[in-house]
Amino acid sequence: MVSPLFYSHLSLLILASILWILATVEAQRNVSVGDSLSANDKTMAWQSPSGDFAFGFQSIPTKQDRFLLAIWYAKIQERTIVWYANRDNPETDRDSTIELDNSGHLVLKDPKGKELWRSQRLTDGSQVSHAAMLDTGNFVIASKNSTNIWESFKYPTDTILPSQELDMGDHLLSTLVETSYSKGKYQLRFNSESFILNQIDMFTGKPYEAYFNFGNGSRLVFTESGYIRIQNLNGTLVEVAPINAVPKPDLYYYRATLDFYGVFNLYYYPRNPSGGGSWSVLWFRPMNICRRFINSTITSGRATFGTGPCGYNSICEPIQGRPNCTCPPGFSFLDDNNQYAGCKQDYASYPADCNPDGSTIGEDRFEFKPMSFADFPLGDYGVIKPATELECKQSCLLDCSCAVAILQDPTLSKDGNGTCWKKKIPLSNGWFDRESVDRTALFKVLKSDASTKSPTKSNRSDENQNEVVLILAVLLGTSAIFNFFSLAAISMIFFCLFRRRLGELKGAHSRRDLETNLQFFTYKDLEHATNGFKEELGRGAFGTVYKGELPSSYGDRIAVKKLDKFAQDGEREFKTEVKVIGQTHHKNLVRLTGYCDEAEHRLLVYEFMENGSLSSFLFGILRPSWQQRLQIASGIAKGLTYLHEECSKQIIHCDIKPQNILLDESLTAKISDFGLAKLLMNDKTRTKTGIRGTKGYVAPEWFRNIPVTVKVDVYSFGVMLLEIICCRRCVEVEMEEAAILTDWVFQCYSEGMIEKLVEDDEEARNDVGKLEKLLKVGIWCVQEEPMLRPSMRIVTMMLDGAIQVPDPPCPFSLNSISTSTKTD
Ligand SMILES: *[C@@H]1O[C@H](CO)[C@@H](O)[C@H](O)[C@H]1NC(C)=O
Ligand SMILES: *[C@@H]1O[C@H](CO)[C@@H](O)[C@H](O)[C@H]1NC(C)=O
Ligand SMILES: *[C@@H]1O[C@H](CO)[C@@H](O)[C@H](O)[C@H]1NC(C)=O
Ligand SMILES: *[C@@H]1O[C@H](CO)[C@@H](O)[C@H](O)[C@H]1NC(C)=O
Ligand SMILES: *[C@@H]1O[C@H](CO)[C@@H](O)[C@H](O)[C@H]1NC(C)=O
Ligand SMILES: *[C@@H]1O[C@H](CO)[C@@H](O)[C@H](O)[C@H]1NC(C)=O
Ligand SMILES: *[C@@H]1O[C@H](CO)[C@@H](O)[C@H](O)[C@H]1NC(C)=O
Ligand SMILES: *[C@@H]1O[C@H](CO)[C@@H](O)[C@H](O)[C@H]1NC(C)=O
């Protein structure tokens, strides 16, 4: 038997040794006068008793042999620095040292012993005892009478921690970019009555106006329990964050950081992450950083808040609180590695293409790329109201300083009048928001095939100016009577010049329909161009296409489509639809360049496509390469996305099939015949005309009594995608069990035998991952239920690998009476 006394002795012994261990550890961890660390990979840091935080040198991952004197979370994988020394110039060389000297300062020296930084003193006189890294993340220098001579908490960088406070004089300053420790442009500070966020002027450090206000009060307290509160003037603590959440500091670390893009984020991280943790955002302000800078500017009309997080010429869209900066059409990033640095214009028409009178030289080299829901609410130099879309485009096109026109559609404005704002470079405070921007940005960009050289800059205006200068010179040196006659003469000259210019302008546009910006042709012109409609390129649902060639002043080869049926009394509709088609520009759409609308003749003039249709390419003798086919599929998807979602009026194609996809000389796929379905059907009969499209490609809803939506194109695209993958037609009767491609594909897919589909196509078989992905996309698109089919935007993202493709369900419902393919 062992006596209970033994146990009590034993436990005392254990307790004593634990206490001893704790004591030695603590003693080790507190820093004595004269202790030092040096910046290299081996030295230990000074840790807090729990080991949560450490103070010492951190190497800078992107820069060899550069170090930072910092405090960081010592137990977590993700490198998280909460404080660092010497904000003005925080990076130091290898073998720099930090030492606690006997006057109570931390002194940072470079390898040669030159002092770089020293901690200030909060109190004078008291003698230094030691320094310590505390478990709160505060590094303190303690005096002999146990007050603190210095605390890192009193000199925050961009982060505060639970139990830290910001007083009236304190501020947080963000870093410049995510991976840097340089000073950034956002501040959280006290502005004499409240805590606010503001941008600073980078060159003087002076603050702009606040873009966010956390509330009145003079102290911002991050409590030990994880709440952020503001103590207002009567001493009450007002809750700021988090909202509708209870922090659990025993389970999570918390920190609040003013991030480099101007958002104040409250983050948490599990203390005991099983399988690696990461910082998540619990709360953040402002809710919409892009809008913050703009809203302010809308009300004040000036950029009193700064440029915002995205820089010049770029578009800001918040994604979960963080700005996503993108470049609009015709612009690209200034720095490919930093989306926040702004964008530059790919081709600057100002001042290169300007006549002295401010008009654009060679304006037909430019076109407009629209971006819906986007705006640059600041800095317009011209406003036209009321304005139609045409007037807006015309004005911006002819005005050489105009880079983008912002249009508020008349139908969307309260008073029914459209407004057009003209903007010049650099554009600032651009934002995108589907919910709250009801404007469309029309970017003036050089046409992809246009020369960057302006056509021979006319010397006409220079001459005019010279004439005027000469006349003025004469005028100033002569008598009053002479002046009178001279004045009359000058007026005459101006009048004539003006007339001449007007004439020239008229001449330039005489064959261009101002309303549609399309050339219009007489029937004779086109008869001539096609050599009497001699060479037939193809025959489609709407008419026959002929090859033609224009006299050189216009351009070169064209394809002329002679429409052989159109709705009677369709005069107006023809114009309207041609206008819609004419304004639809995309890399993956065949461009309409002109038309003829004369007596009973209706012809459309398109750019000529070198490589004919996808159909002959795909089902021809030589099989196109796998890579070419992938590119073509992705191009078509992009073109359709544009028709469905991005052009000013949604266009459902209704007849997507390989015959309607044309290929240019570099095998870029271009969709043709878009917009025609509507043109050739009278509105009243539209719902009754029954099926439009081509057998094999038509979606099942045409056979049912449910509305036809853009999803019919998704279906046809799906069928065509499978054809592109397998290089065979969607219906091939002689192939027996494999006759109907969609059925056959799903069968092979569900049996896990997708290689059967590309049996003699080695390239495809060697790329099974892609093959499977594409098949899955195809199967998703041919779902019988329209709701299940993805939008073309999603399809594009799937094809480009931007998102995962989930496993598709069976596309056919078992009890379906007729699927489109089976009715054939
Ligand atoms: C270490 O420093 C802290 C903070 O000054 C103090 O509370 C603690 O007592 C010190 N520990 C020792 C062993 O001196
Ligand atoms: C410690 O010393 C400082 C400076 O001499 C003095 O201001 C402070 O009141 C002292 N604190 C205590 C607790 O004695
Ligand atoms: C803050 O205080 C100012 C006056 O000091 C007052 O005008 C303002 O309404 C207050 N704001 C809030 C949110 O209480
Ligand atoms: C202090 O201010 C808060 C909010 O500003 C108010 O709700 C509260 O009644 C005030 N308390 C006192 C004692 O004045
Ligand atoms: C934008 O400004 C208006 C008017 O000043 C204001 O009512 C609105 O709350 C602001 N919106 C945001 C998101 O700041
Ligand atoms: C940012 O916007 C671009 C263009 O809209 C988009 O492709 C990209 O996925 C967005 N980034 C994020 C993180 O959502
Ligand atoms: C809209 O424009 C018309 C024509 O210029 C004008 O008469 C009318 O007053 C405008 N409406 C408003 C509300 O400004
Ligand atoms: C226009 O002026 C430039 C220089 O001012 C000259 O080089 C050029 O030859 C002139 N062109 C014509 C067509 O006169």
Side-chain angles (χ1 to χ4, degrees):
M1 276 293 275
V2 191
S3 78
L5 201 64
F6 172 81
Y7 280 114
S8 67
H9 273 141
L10 187 67
S11 44
L12 266 178
L13 206 68
I14 292 171
L15 190 67
S17 43
I18 288 175
L19 280 176
W20 181 81
I21 290 167
L22 279 179
T24 51
V25 169
E26 287 231 317
Q28 246 177 10
R29 279 173 182 161
N30 276 1
V31 179
S32 313
V33 170
D35 283 357
S36 69
L37 294 170
S38 65
N40 59 52
D41 309 317
K42 277 161 262 144
T43 39
M44 299 289 295
W46 292 329
Q47 300 224 335
S48 73
S50 65
D52 284 337
F53 289 95
F55 175 100
F57 287 99
Q58 271 271 344
S59 62
I60 295 175
T62 51
K63 294 184 183 166
Q64 209 186 352
D65 290 336
R66 298 289 275 171
F67 289 81
L68 197 66
L69 179 62
I71 296 172
W72 63 91
Y73 286 91
K75 278 186 180 167
I76 70 180
Q77 289 284 312
E78 198 177 330
R79 184 189 150 89
T80 314
I81 287 176
V82 297
W83 176 89
Y84 48 98
N86 198 13
R87 197 75 208 268
D88 287 322
N89 193 7
E91 294 178 14
T92 64
D93 288 326
R94 176 179 291 276
D95 296 327
S96 299
T97 56
I98 182 77
E99 185 188 343
L100 178 63
D101 74 3
N102 56 16
S103 60
H105 296 282
L106 282 167
V107 182
L108 175 65
K109 289 180 177 162
D110 76 3
K112 295 195 185 102
K114 187 181 153 225
E115 186 176 315
L116 298 173
W117 170 82
R118 70 166 49 215
S119 60
Q120 289 160 285
R121 281 186 72 120
L122 293 166
T123 54
D124 287 328
S126 49
Q127 273 200 313
V128 55
S129 153
H130 63 275
M133 181 72 250
L134 305 184
D135 281 334
T136 52
N138 193 7
F139 189 85
V140 299
I141 301 175
S143 72
K144 290 240 161 83
N145 75 359
S146 76
T147 54
N148 288 332
I149 296 174
W150 184 85
E151 296 181 14
S152 64
F153 269 14
K154 294 276 187 239
Y155 301 92
T157 51
D158 59 353
T159 297
I160 56 170
L161 297 170
S163 81
Q164 190 168 359
E165 296 175 3
L166 293 182
D167 287 320
M168 288 194 244
D170 302 333
H171 71 268
L172 300 183
L173 181 65
S174 69
T175 59
L176 189 58
V177 292
E178 193 156 26
T179 53
S180 126
Y181 301 96
S182 315
K183 286 173 158 184
K185 51 182 188 174
Y186 301 101
Q187 267 183 339
L188 189 163
R189 67 185 179 100
F190 176 72
N191 78 344
S192 82
E193 66 178 32
S194 53
F195 278 92
I196 53 147
L197 294 175
N198 63 258
Q199 187 178 328
I200 56 169
D201 176 66
M202 287 299 281
F203 310 103
T204 59
K206 293 270 169 70
Y208 289 106
E209 267 179 36
Y211 63 87
F212 189 79
N213 191 328
F214 290 99
N216 283 352
S218 54
R219 224 151 60 96
L220 187 136
V221 182
F222 196 172
T223 66
E224 249 170 288
S225 49
Y227 290 96
I228 297 176
R229 296 183 174 133
I230 285 181
Q231 188 173 46
N232 70 14
L233 303 174
N234 67 18
T236 322
L237 282 172
V238 180
E239 202 94 341
V240 173
I243 287 168
N244 300 329
V246 179
K248 299 197 186 77
D250 45 334
L251 298 180
Y252 297 97
Y253 293 116
Y254 293 91
R255 73 182 160 94
T257 300
L258 177 58
D259 278 304
F260 71 98
Y261 46 84
V263 175
F264 188 51
N265 281 305
L266 173 57
Y267 290 97
Y268 65 101
Y269 189 106
R271 281 180 184 265
N272 292 308
S274 47
S278 69
W279 288 102
S280 313
V281 175
L282 182 59
W283 167 93
F284 62 93
R285 286 293 179 280
M287 296 293 274
N288 184 336
I289 183 70
C290 302
R291 184 172 179 162
R292 266 297 149 186
F293 286 83
I294 289 150
N295 196 37
S296 44
T297 57
I298 285 175
T299 48
S300 71
R302 267 172 279 141
T304 49
F305 295 71
T307 49
C310 284
Y312 286 116
N313 299 326
S314 77
I315 301 254
C316 182
E317 180 192 6
I319 309 260
Q320 279 149 16
R322 189 173 169 146
N324 183 19
C325 307
T326 50
C327 294
F331 291 82
S332 44
F333 285 123
L334 264 177
D335 174 357
D336 282 332
N337 301 318
N338 179 10
Q339 59 160 281
Y340 304 95
C343 306
K344 60 177 188 294
Q345 216 175 4
D346 294 337
Y347 175 75
S349 65
Y350 183 86
D353 293 325
C354 297
N355 279 318
D357 65 357
S359 63
T360 310
I361 303 171
E363 74 270 6
D364 28 351
R365 293 177 303 136
F366 297 92
E367 63 184 349
F368 287 95
K369 294 244 166 98
M371 188 170 182
S372 308
F373 316 114
D375 192 8
F376 296 89
L378 255 195
D380 28 272
Y381 70 89
V383 184
I384 309 171
K385 185 176 178 156
T388 64
E389 180 174 350
L390 178 73
E391 286 167 330
C392 192
K393 282 183 172 172
Q394 202 74 17
S395 172
C396 186
L397 183 70
L398 293 173
D399 181 345
C400 103
S401 36
C402 180
V404 60
I406 308 292
L407 177 75
Q408 180 161 51
D409 201 281
T411 54
L412 294 176
S413 76
K414 280 181 212 114
D415 58 15
N417 283 338
T419 310
C420 176
W421 293 267
K422 296 202 290 179
K423 315 268 174 184
K424 57 187 192 304
I425 300 290
L427 306 165
S428 64
N429 302 78
W431 70 316
F432 174 91
D433 190 329
R434 279 179 193 284
E435 254 91 72
S436 38
V437 179
D438 57 358
R439 300 172 184 180
T440 299
L442 302 161
F443 294 92
K444 182 165 108 186
V445 302
L446 199 64
K447 287 179 184 165
S448 56
D449 53 355
S451 129
T452 52
K453 275 229 175 78
S454 38
T456 46
K457 204 163 181 167
S458 76
N459 290 2
R460 167 174 36 83
S461 314
D462 303 350
E463 283 161 16
N464 293 354
Q465 276 194 338
N466 292 341
E467 281 169 50
V468 172
V469 170
L470 187 76
I471 291 166
L472 277 178
V474 173
L475 196 64
L476 290 172
T478 45
S479 75
I481 296 175
F482 185 77
N483 280 357
F484 172 79
F485 285 109
S486 305
L487 219 71
I490 291 173
S491 311
M492 279 299 285
I493 291 170
F494 267 113
F495 180 69
C496 293
L497 286 176
F498 181 70
R499 276 254 305 251
R500 199 165 89 197
R501 175 135 179 77
L502 209 67
E504 276 161 15
L505 271 175
K506 268 191 186 154
H509 292 291
S510 66
R511 305 187 64 99
R512 177 175 290 275
D513 186 339
L514 269 182
E515 216 179 305
T516 58
N517 203 26
L518 292 169
Q519 282 176 13
F520 69 94
F521 296 93
T522 62
Y523 186 71
K524 243 202 174 115
D525 283 342
L526 295 180
E527 198 169 25
H528 186 70
T530 55
N531 207 353
F533 300 103
K534 198 163 151 214
E535 193 176 339
E536 198 175 305
L537 288 172
R539 206 174 265 271
F542 309 113
T544 314
V545 184
Y546 300 91
K547 187 172 170 178
E549 201 158 330
L550 287 175
S552 57
S553 65
Y554 284 112
D556 38 10
R557 283 180 295 174
I558 50 169
V560 179
K561 184 170 210 120
K562 210 171 167 187
L563 301 177
D564 48 22
K565 49 175 173 179
F566 46 85
Q568 293 304 311
D569 71 315
E571 166 86 32
R572 274 187 64 158
E573 203 175 351
F574 183 77
K575 271 256 173 72
T576 329
E577 293 309 316
V578 163
K579 183 179 165 192
V580 172
I581 299 171
Q583 284 167 352
T584 312
H585 300 307
H586 188 269
K587 194 173 115 208
N588 299 107
L589 298 179
V590 177
R591 243 176 90 111
L592 183 72
T593 59
Y595 68 100
C596 163
D597 178 20
E598 193 182 272
E600 77 278 16
H601 302 296
R602 301 276 199 280
L603 295 97
L604 297 173
V605 180
Y606 290 100
E607 57 178 336
F608 181 78
M609 289 291 122
E610 211 69 44
N611 275 312
S613 78
L614 175 62
S615 162
S616 49
F617 181 71
L618 210 51
F619 313 132
I621 308 158
L622 288 173
R623 197 205 358 254
S625 81
W626 175 239
Q627 283 312 327
Q628 282 168 345
R629 278 143 61 206
L630 293 184
Q631 260 198 327
I632 287 171
S634 154
I636 303 167
K638 291 192 177 107
L640 271 176
T641 308
Y642 178 80
L643 288 179
H644 289 177
E645 294 181 24
E646 288 157 14
C647 59
S648 48
K649 271 200 189 123
Q650 185 183 65
I651 294 178
I652 307 181
H653 189 291
C654 289
D655 198 12
I656 288 292
K657 58 180 175 180
Q659 288 81 358
N660 280 337
I661 308 298
L662 302 181
L663 302 172
D664 72 2
E665 70 277 5
S666 55
L667 291 182
T668 304
K670 301 198 179 213
I671 300 170
S672 77
D673 269 9
F674 55 89
L676 293 185
K678 196 168 161 219
L679 173 60
L680 296 166
M681 302 296 160
N682 196 314
D683 253 333
K684 280 161 246 143
T685 57
R686 249 169 83 195
T687 47
K688 293 179 199 149
T689 40
I691 303 154
R692 269 190 277 142
T694 305
K695 281 183 187 172
Y697 302 93
V698 271
E701 54 266 36
W702 285 109
F703 302 89
R704 301 201 209 126
N705 196 17
I706 53 175
V708 165
T709 64
V710 287
K711 293 294 178 71
V712 301
D713 286 348
V714 178
Y715 184 91
S716 309
F717 174 83
V719 175
M720 189 166 70
L721 177 62
L722 299 178
E723 291 184 326
I724 294 173
I725 299 166
C726 306
C727 269
R728 55 153 283 195
R729 290 176 202 277
C730 59
V731 184
E732 297 218 20
V733 183
E734 67 276 16
M735 290 187 76
E736 294 172 356
E737 60 156 355
I740 292 168
L741 181 59
T742 44
D743 295 5
W744 171 235
V745 165
F746 187 71
Q747 190 186 334
C748 292
Y749 168 78
S750 54
E751 287 167 3
M753 309 215 284
I754 55 173
E755 271 119 347
K756 262 167 92 177
L757 293 165
V758 288
E759 243 163 5
D760 52 353
D761 185 347
E762 199 178 334
E763 279 179 301
R765 275 186 290 124
N766 286 340
D767 195 3
V768 175
K770 252 278 168 48
L771 173 65
E772 184 181 355
K773 189 177 83 181
L774 260 69
L775 288 170
K776 287 202 280 188
V777 175
I779 297 170
W780 272 113
C781 292
V782 299
Q783 292 293 317
E784 204 172 291
E785 171 53 47
M787 297 277 283
L788 287 179
R789 293 174 215 151
S791 71
M792 283 314 299
R793 179 175 300 284
I794 299 292
V795 170
T796 306
M797 295 203 288
M798 286 172 165
L799 292 180
D800 290 352
I803 51 176
Q804 293 267 316
V805 188
D807 293 332
C810 175
F812 328 105
S813 63
L814 292 172
N815 57 359
S816 78
I817 303 151
S818 67
T819 67
S820 65
T821 45
K822 280 169 186 158
T823 52
D824 280 325

